[in-house]
Amino acid sequence: MYKLTEDKIRLIFGLKVRHLRTEQNLSLQEVADKSGLSVSYINEIEKGKKYPKTDKIADLAEALGTTYDQLVSTRLPRSLAPLVDIFNSGILDELPFEHFGIDYQKFVEIITQSPAKISAFISTYIDIARNYDLNKEKFLSAALRSYQELHDNYFPQLEKETELCARHFQIPLDAAANWEFLKDILTKQFGTIVTELNTTSETNVLQQLRALYYPDRNELSIHPGLHPYQKAFILAKEIGYHWLNLPLHERVYYYKDWNSTKTFDQALINFQASYFAGALLLPLQAFCSDVSYLLESMEFPGEFLESMLRKWNTSPETLMYRLTNILPGRFGLQKMFFFRFNQDGHRQSFHLSKELHLGNKHQPHGNESGEHYCRRWMSIKIFNELSQEKKQALGVQKSHYIDSGLEYIVISWARETLSKPFSRTSISIGLEINNETRKKIRWIDDPNIPTHKVNVTCERCRLDPCEERAAEPKIYRKLKEIQSIKQLLQSEGLIKE
């Protein structure tokens, strides 16, 4: 069990005092009169700011009609039990209050002011989390995503540090960085041994990893089958850990997924190293020049986008994700989303493995309820462009949401996954079409860009007919039925509008 700290013990003690007092309809003044303690002191106790000495605890226990042992016990009444579960879990220590500008003490005061309501809220949240399989990895991923969205996914200090590092080690700021050159920097400047992963055995679990770091001998082993731009990103990220003086004991030891991330600070540290890598491989000033040309073209600049991949020797994902830093941070295009979909080549199943929403929560967005994402989305349609001969495809469309009326310009890239046979990935960015985007993206009304009506999921969609439909609109029909019943009851005067 998680060891309770002094501040948690104070908080639990204060909650018990407040619970016993309110249960007996006693005012602070009445408890003060009975115990001989001041009103302000009892108020501080209930807020978790003070923990009284032994004699005062005894006086409080007598005033509240309980025993000393019961009062100092960390067990709370059943109605407040979920709060103790939260304290025991240590989750309050993992919540990144300071990163979101939240005062921890004020948060504690909210708990003490309405403990029963907070307890009920936490119980509800836990039930929802269980139903939607919100495990620790998903929670940390969501928390980090919210942190990025709070800052428009643009971090000037990291941009500055990246440029300083590039100048210090003479890494080019106007051309692609060679992965072997980055390897040389990591080896000679930071003493990291760079080797190849042993992936010869078919049963070797290491085949599934992109890279593995051995902290005891400062060795980084990289999968030999990776593309040079993948190796470059891994090496640039490693340089970032050292250059930014990030605590190496908090780094992720293998490159695969979130399963090796245990705390928010660890997630943040690894995000900072990844941001550094993207900025090092796609340097700010030179990349901004390319983006300016991209936006000022009179027609959709598909060929120019493809030339940017070659110029920077990078992947569609790194390029598109870098745009989520630059477009909001340097060009003021803040209402946008980023998506990564994975598809098993043998099935028409699609998994949203990464999403980011800037400016506000956009449509589309991920769902955990097993509904079928709209097959009219560019993010999913683009998979149809891949074939045995064509391993990579680029597409663009305007998506008009029939329920909200919102419209997005969406650019998607799909490709075969290099490290996993019969697997595909699509990367998309979407920008909400409004006055700001019309001013800054000159090609946004290119007549050659197709416009499609879309919705969130097939189950919620009223489009009829729809050749792309993957499931019946059962949720839409149910909601429509409920609305019809409501209208009937309103016409009969049985319910008010």
Side-chain angles (χ1 to χ4, degrees):
M1 178 181 283
Y2 178 79
K3 185 177 179 180
L4 289 174
T5 58
E6 288 186 11
D7 59 326
K8 304 298 187 306
I9 292 172
R10 285 198 307 270
L11 181 54
I12 290 174
F13 183 83
L15 287 170
K16 293 191 73 172
V17 170
R18 182 182 178 86
H19 176 78
L20 288 167
R21 178 176 66 80
T22 55
E23 191 177 46
Q24 300 172 61
N25 293 318
L26 295 172
S27 66
L28 284 169
Q29 186 61 59
E30 288 173 319
V31 175
D33 293 340
K34 289 183 177 183
S35 64
L37 306 178
S38 68
V39 169
S40 61
Y41 187 60
I42 297 172
N43 190 37
E44 294 284 281
I45 290 172
E46 290 189 356
K47 289 182 177 180
K49 294 181 178 180
K50 300 285 186 181
Y51 193 90
K53 293 182 179 179
T54 304
D55 56 335
K56 293 180 180 179
I57 293 175
D59 292 336
L60 263 178
E62 185 176 351
L64 295 168
T66 188
T67 66
Y68 180 96
D69 290 341
Q70 288 176 329
L71 192 57
V72 297
S73 168
T74 55
R75 296 187 64 181
L76 282 173
R78 183 177 178 182
S79 61
L80 304 179
L83 292 177
V84 176
D85 292 338
I86 292 296
F87 300 146
N88 286 340
S89 71
I91 194 171
L92 288 181
D93 293 327
E94 294 184 17
L95 291 173
F97 293 101
E98 70 281 3
H99 295 296
F100 289 89
I102 299 172
D103 186 291
Y104 173 77
Q105 190 58 49
K106 288 184 179 178
F107 179 79
V108 169
E109 286 186 24
I110 292 172
I111 295 177
T112 60
Q113 287 167 10
S114 301
K117 292 179 181 179
I118 296 296
S119 178
F121 171 78
I122 291 172
S123 295
T124 303
Y125 176 80
I126 290 172
D127 286 342
I128 292 172
R130 286 171 180 159
N131 290 335
Y132 284 87
D133 189 28
L134 183 59
N135 54 32
K136 190 171 185 178
E137 289 75 29
K138 289 181 180 178
F139 171 79
L140 291 174
S141 176
L144 178 60
R145 188 166 65 243
S146 296
Y147 173 78
Q148 294 172 251
E149 292 165 1
L150 184 66
H151 293 85
D152 290 328
N153 203 33
Y154 181 69
F155 297 87
Q157 187 59 37
L158 290 176
E159 298 284 354
K160 180 180 178 181
E161 288 297 329
T162 304
E163 183 176 346
L164 289 173
C165 176
R167 294 189 184 281
H168 181 80
F169 293 124
Q170 297 182 333
I171 300 171
L173 289 169
D174 56 359
N178 183 281
W179 76 271
E180 292 180 332
F181 181 53
L182 297 178
K183 174 185 173 182
D184 196 51
I185 293 171
L186 193 61
T187 301
K188 293 181 179 179
Q189 302 297 326
F190 301 109
T192 302
I193 303 168
V194 181
T195 59
E196 287 189 351
L197 274 177
N198 179 12
T199 60
T200 53
S201 172
E202 290 185 6
T203 59
N204 194 339
V205 71
L206 298 182
Q207 287 183 335
Q208 303 175 30
L209 303 181
R210 291 173 58 199
L212 179 64
Y213 179 75
Y214 299 92
D216 55 332
R217 55 181 186 264
N218 192 20
E219 178 182 341
L220 177 68
S221 289
I222 300 177
H223 195 296
L226 294 184
H227 192 281
Y229 60 63
Q230 292 175 309
K231 294 179 182 179
F233 190 89
I234 290 170
L235 292 164
K237 186 174 179 179
E238 288 297 318
I239 292 172
Y241 284 117
H242 293 280
W243 181 265
L244 298 172
N245 293 316
L246 299 174
L248 294 179
H249 65 279
E250 291 286 0
R251 69 183 306 291
V252 171
Y253 290 112
Y254 61 89
Y255 291 94
K256 187 170 186 285
D257 51 35
W258 277 83
N259 290 330
S260 58
T261 307
K262 305 302 180 186
T263 67
F264 180 81
D265 282 341
Q266 189 179 31
L268 180 60
I269 285 164
N270 286 284
F271 163 73
Q272 290 170 332
S274 293
Y275 189 104
F276 178 96
L280 192 66
L281 298 175
L282 299 168
L284 181 63
Q285 298 305 325
F287 191 69
C288 279
S289 295
D290 286 347
V291 175
S292 292
Y293 183 88
L294 185 75
L295 299 179
E296 291 169 5
S297 174
M298 296 303 294
E299 298 178 345
F300 173 64
E303 291 184 3
F304 182 70
L305 268 171
E306 291 175 334
S307 73
M308 287 174 69
L309 287 185
R310 296 188 294 272
K311 173 182 177 179
W312 298 109
N313 190 25
T314 191
S315 68
E317 180 162 357
T318 300
L319 177 69
M320 298 279 269
Y321 195 79
R322 185 66 171 138
L323 286 173
T324 70
N325 307 140
I326 301 304
L327 291 176
R330 296 301 292 264
F331 293 89
L333 292 169
Q334 297 172 324
K335 292 189 175 183
M336 65 180 300
F337 63 78
F338 172 93
F339 272 175
R340 179 178 67 207
F341 272 98
N342 293 339
Q343 182 200 21
D344 185 331
H346 295 298
R347 296 189 303 239
Q348 285 297 307
S349 59
F350 305 93
H351 169 60
L352 181 60
S353 56
K354 188 172 185 177
E355 65 178 311
L356 184 67
H357 297 263
L358 303 177
N360 53 267
K361 191 75 169 179
H362 299 282
Q363 290 180 341
H365 50 77
N367 77 83
E368 296 291 340
S369 58
E371 295 176 42
H372 294 76
Y373 294 111
C374 178
R375 268 40 176 181
R376 292 173 171 236
W377 290 352
M378 192 71 243
S379 307
I380 292 178
K381 285 171 55 181
I382 191 67
F383 285 115
N384 296 329
E385 299 297 319
L386 298 178
S387 65
Q388 221 169 10
E389 297 77 28
K390 193 174 183 181
K391 303 297 184 181
Q392 187 166 292
L394 172 66
V396 62
Q397 79 172 37
K398 288 182 180 179
S399 295
H400 179 84
Y401 280 83
I402 61 173
D403 289 334
S404 68
L406 291 174
E407 193 170 20
Y408 292 85
I409 187 77
V410 183
I411 305 171
S412 296
W413 233 308
R415 64 179 176 85
E416 300 285 347
T417 303
L418 298 176
S419 58
K420 189 177 179 182
F422 309 112
S423 180
R424 299 163 162 184
T425 299
S426 79
I427 306 297
S428 304
I429 59 169
L431 294 108
E432 183 180 314
I433 297 177
N434 51 40
N435 291 336
E436 198 65 27
T437 49
R438 290 190 185 281
K439 287 179 187 175
K440 296 180 178 179
I441 305 177
R442 300 188 69 181
W443 50 265
I444 201 165
D445 289 318
D446 180 350
N448 294 315
I449 297 175
T451 299
H452 291 279
K453 292 181 179 180
V454 299
N455 217 320
V456 179
T457 65
C458 293
E459 286 81 353
R460 298 174 186 273
C461 183
R462 59 184 170 87
L463 274 177
D464 186 25
C466 176
E467 295 178 359
E468 295 89 346
R469 182 178 293 282
E472 290 299 306
K474 56 184 180 180
I475 296 178
Y476 167 73
R477 289 170 182 166
K478 186 67 176 177
L479 293 174
K480 189 176 180 180
E481 179 184 329
I482 292 172
Q483 183 62 27
S484 297
I485 294 172
K486 183 179 177 181
Q487 289 174 350
L488 177 62
L489 293 175
Q490 286 174 344
S491 68
E492 295 292 333
L494 296 175
I495 61 172
K496 295 181 180 180
E497 294 185 13

